[in-house]
Amino acid sequence: MKKIKSFWKKIASNIIWRKHPTKILEWKRNKYFWFTDGRINVAENCLLNSKNKDKTKNAIIFIDKNKNIKKFNYFELTNKVNHFSNYLYQVSKNKIIKNVVIHSSANITSAISMLALSKLGIHFSVIFEDLPNNAINERLKLVNPDVIITNDVSKIKFFKKYINKNKNLKKILICSGKKSNQQSVSYYNFTKKEKKQNINYNYYESNNKLFTLFTSGSTGTPKGIQHSSAPYLVYSKYSSSNKFGMNKKSVVLTASDAGWINGHTYSLFAPLSFGATTILVESPFMLLDYLFLYRIIKELKITILYLPVTLLRLLKGVIPESEKMLKHKLKTLGSMGEPLAASIAEWYSLNFFSKKKAIVNTYFQTETGGIISAPNYNNVGGVTYGTVGTTLNKHIKYFKSKKNKFELELINPWPGCMIDVINGNSYWKKYWRGRKFKLFDYGSFLKKNL
């Protein structure tokens, strides 16, 4: 345990602290707490690290569903976050906001909202935009938001119906769209240029609940996985550097929806905490236009390309065999979402790299906060395509179960692990057995690939 604490103490020095922690890991009532006496602001790490950031440098490049490209430098993004932070208090008439739901895809609305709430220390939950109403309603009941932010004007009636049924709390619907005079709806233009505006950072304790993300609910009630602030950010930066080679010079395209863990960790918080440039794609499947994909790789000087396996399979079917994108600045290729077949991995590598190189085939879940197993970006020798590579830390054990399946067990937690389940203790106990975390069956993965 001493070595574990010493290791994470060193890694934790890579983020900005208001108050550096002296307590690294504590166990209380079968729950773990990292850096308990530290204080932080996550948005400050993403916006105001003057050592790493040039204010005129692109922070976010947003590609909307019509393939329009909009760029926001660090100065512009910081100002937008400040302005929206202040606006939230104005429309709530200074009433306390505890929980916010963001119903949006990966775009400038979700990014500014997440950063503004991180700045204010307000817990938020991003809900996948394409979920049916009954699934959205289920999640709203669990989060019980004071504010709902949506990009979808067609959902106003649905959300207002929810608000009207929950009159015990101050409910506000903020919608980015055409103005109207509907009650309880505040329209906000997230792309409008605003005058410079400052708002003080709220510094909060390390384990302040930053966000909740829901599992799909395909096997029952969706579980609301909650993540911390400082420990989550520590692990986001560490895993990004270790597996992707991410740094302040990186230009990152993570084709993930904002409602998934990738859309938090590797689309937003990690890249901005490095002072890198992140590219948000509102509709990832627009990248099936491979000529457009090749164009933005070249024009935007992308160095890290991180795509869903489903998209890769479709890309392989539409890109002619004679086409190869070899002359570019790509440093890292990653895959997410489901197992990556060896044939797809090999095609991906040979089509986008000029030499044989590993694909960062990432394996993790919402519960783990970030990558737990993947090949390293700089692996150029002895590449085995389709493998999930090596584990990120030594807290993981693979073993063969009685059912002859390979299972994975977390022997100790790390800072990126979830800190709670919004649905209650019964779910938490299903994850943790004492101080051991039994996560899932490893299914049909072969041991040689681990």
Side-chain angles (χ1 to χ4, degrees):
M1 190 59 72
K2 256 188 178 181
K3 286 184 179 179
I4 290 173
K5 290 182 179 181
S6 176
F7 175 80
W8 288 114
K9 182 180 181 180
K10 183 179 179 181
I11 299 298
S13 65
N14 293 323
I15 67 171
I16 305 169
W17 295 91
R18 177 69 171 183
K19 179 181 181 295
H20 284 266
T22 58
K23 298 176 182 177
I24 306 305
L25 173 61
E26 294 181 302
W27 284 88
K28 297 175 184 177
R29 300 178 299 280
N30 202 34
K31 287 190 177 181
Y32 45 82
F33 299 87
W34 290 92
F35 317 125
T36 50
D37 58 341
R39 295 189 73 80
I40 190 178
N41 187 285
V42 170
E44 181 184 43
N45 274 267
C46 294
L47 299 172
L48 289 183
N49 185 354
S50 58
K51 291 181 180 178
N52 293 338
K53 298 176 180 64
D54 173 2
K55 289 182 180 180
T56 62
K57 178 183 178 179
N58 285 328
I60 291 177
I61 300 175
F62 171 47
I63 306 176
D64 70 20
K65 56 189 174 185
N66 297 315
K67 298 179 183 174
N68 298 311
I69 299 174
K70 299 174 183 177
K71 299 178 180 180
F72 303 87
N73 63 33
Y74 272 94
F75 174 80
E76 292 166 332
L77 181 62
T78 301
N79 199 45
K80 285 182 177 298
V81 169
N82 288 341
H83 193 276
F84 187 58
S85 299
N86 191 48
Y87 182 80
L88 278 170
Y89 276 127
Q90 288 176 11
V91 296
S92 67
K93 297 179 181 177
N94 294 320
K95 290 196 175 182
I96 294 173
I97 301 171
K98 291 183 178 179
N99 302 307
V100 175
V101 158
I102 304 167
H103 174 254
S104 176
S105 57
N107 53 38
I108 201 64
T109 297
S110 59
I112 291 172
S113 299
M114 291 162 74
L115 289 167
L117 295 165
S118 300
K119 182 169 189 174
L120 298 170
I122 297 172
H123 165 258
F124 61 87
S125 181
V126 182
I127 294 180
F128 183 49
E129 201 170 40
D130 293 335
L131 286 177
N133 286 353
N134 63 324
I136 295 173
N137 197 53
E138 198 170 17
R139 288 156 174 77
L140 288 173
K141 287 178 181 177
L142 289 167
V143 176
N144 195 22
D146 306 299
V147 177
I148 300 169
I149 300 168
T150 184
N151 239 14
D152 188 349
V153 179
S154 70
K155 290 286 186 186
I156 290 178
K157 287 184 179 178
F158 167 75
F159 284 123
K160 283 192 72 177
K161 189 177 179 181
Y162 170 81
I163 289 171
N164 292 335
K165 286 182 178 179
N166 294 270
K167 294 180 180 179
N168 57 317
L169 290 173
K170 176 65 180 175
K171 304 286 178 180
I172 304 157
L173 174 60
I174 296 174
C175 186
S176 183
K178 190 177 179 180
K179 283 191 176 183
S180 78
N181 295 320
Q182 296 190 60
Q183 279 189 335
S184 76
V185 180
S186 299
Y187 284 87
Y188 187 85
N189 189 339
F190 283 87
T191 59
K192 181 183 176 183
K193 285 191 175 181
E194 304 287 357
K195 292 181 181 178
K196 185 177 179 181
Q197 188 171 60
N198 293 315
I199 187 168
N200 293 332
Y201 284 91
N202 290 342
Y203 294 97
Y204 36 83
E205 62 181 23
S206 293
N207 290 279
N208 183 67
K209 288 176 182 176
L210 182 63
F211 65 86
T212 294
L213 268 181
F214 286 92
T215 57
S216 65
S218 58
T219 57
T221 305
K223 295 180 283 295
I225 304 301
Q226 298 195 318
H227 281 283
S228 62
S229 295
Y232 166 77
L233 188 65
V234 166
Y235 195 71
S236 297
K237 286 195 76 170
Y238 171 66
S239 59
S240 299
S241 173
N242 188 289
K243 291 299 183 183
F244 290 114
M246 197 180 292
N247 56 48
K248 66 181 180 181
K249 295 180 180 179
S250 298
V251 179
V252 186
L253 191 158
T254 301
S256 172
D257 190 89
W260 308 132
I261 189 68
N262 275 307
H264 285 53
T265 306
Y266 303 115
S267 280
L268 192 70
F269 290 114
L272 295 183
S273 68
F274 277 106
T277 299
T278 186
I279 301 171
L280 304 181
V281 182
E282 190 168 34
S283 178
F285 285 91
M286 75 172 71
L287 302 180
L288 287 175
D289 179 351
Y290 69 90
L291 293 178
F292 176 72
L293 174 60
Y294 285 176
R295 193 192 101 200
I296 62 171
I297 288 173
K298 184 178 180 180
E299 288 182 7
L300 303 180
K301 299 179 181 178
I302 295 170
T303 61
I304 299 173
L305 184 65
Y306 188 24
L307 301 178
V309 172
T310 304
L311 179 60
L312 288 172
R313 285 202 302 264
L314 294 171
L315 267 174
K316 187 175 184 294
V318 299
I319 298 179
E321 289 186 16
S322 58
E323 290 277 357
K324 280 193 175 183
M325 185 61 185
L326 300 178
K327 295 180 180 179
H328 49 64
K329 295 181 179 292
L330 278 172
K331 174 183 177 183
T332 305
L333 294 174
S335 67
M336 68 176 95
E338 56 185 286
L340 178 67
S343 59
I344 303 295
E346 184 174 16
W347 168 84
Y348 190 21
S349 179
L350 297 177
N351 196 76
F352 289 88
F353 284 138
S354 56
K355 59 184 177 181
K356 187 175 181 179
K357 193 174 178 183
I359 303 300
V360 185
N361 177 21
T362 58
Y363 190 73
F364 64 104
Q365 292 184 321
T366 306
E367 291 88 336
T368 67
I371 298 165
I372 54 175
S373 191
N376 284 10
Y377 74 98
N378 56 0
N379 182 3
V380 292
V383 175
T384 304
Y385 291 119
T387 177
V388 292
T390 55
T391 56
L392 191 60
N393 57 58
K394 296 180 179 180
H395 308 316
I396 299 171
K397 176 185 176 184
Y398 295 108
F399 64 95
K400 209 168 188 178
S401 70
K402 293 178 182 178
K403 295 180 181 178
N404 210 30
K405 288 183 178 181
F406 285 103
E407 291 189 0
L408 175 150
E409 189 174 54
L410 309 188
I411 306 305
N412 289 296
W414 55 81
C417 284
M418 65 177 189
I419 57 169
D420 211 342
V421 184
I422 205 171
N423 311 57
N425 288 332
S426 59
Y427 277 115
W428 181 267
K429 288 175 183 176
K430 288 180 181 179
Y431 284 101
W432 284 97
R433 299 173 185 178
R435 292 191 181 184
K436 289 188 177 181
F437 185 64
K438 193 170 185 180
L439 192 58
F440 46 78
D441 286 341
Y442 217 72
S444 59
F445 271 109
L446 300 177
K447 191 172 184 180
K448 67 180 181 181
N449 284 341
L450 300 178

